Amino acid sequence: MKHAHRGIKQFCGIERCQARSERAQRNHIELALPAFLRLEYHCFVKLISWFEAKISIVRNAVRAYLAKPIYTLTTVNLYATA
């Protein structure tokens, strides 16, 4: 059980809930548990570690964003005179 406890803390952020109300904290936990079970199932089927699964999720998200960015930064000319 220690193994799962560490995984749910490390990969699903169950302890990082910043909500103060009891209901919001309960909702956070209730969403983190199925997320961890899904991660665990994915790792079992693909025969990969939690770290490999997390890296592939982040890598795919970054790749998708770079292919079609939603937000862009506007350039600011610091030397322009008003």
Side-chain angles (χ1 to χ4, degrees):
M1 192 64 182
K2 265 188 196 177
H3 187 69
H5 183 259
R6 187 190 76 164
I8 197 165
K9 284 177 62 181
Q10 195 168 6
F11 295 101
C12 294
I14 201 164
E15 80 283 358
R16 287 187 225 128
C17 179
Q18 295 183 6
R20 296 201 184 268
S21 74
E22 181 183 339
R23 180 171 180 120
Q25 290 176 359
R26 199 170 43 244
N27 288 343
H28 178 76
I29 292 168
E30 288 175 0
L31 291 171
L33 289 173
F36 177 72
L37 291 175
R38 178 67 181 101
L39 177 69
E40 189 73 7
Y41 176 77
H42 176 74
C43 292
F44 178 76
V45 169
K46 299 285 186 176
L47 299 174
I48 59 176
S49 69
W50 289 335
F51 296 99
E52 290 173 300
K54 184 176 179 179
I55 287 170
S56 71
I57 291 168
V58 171
R59 185 177 294 133
N60 290 337
V62 170
R63 187 177 293 130
Y65 177 77
L66 290 175
K68 191 173 183 182
I70 299 170
Y71 305 104
T72 58
L73 297 175
T74 57
T75 58
V76 177
N77 187 354
L78 299 175
Y79 303 107
T81 57

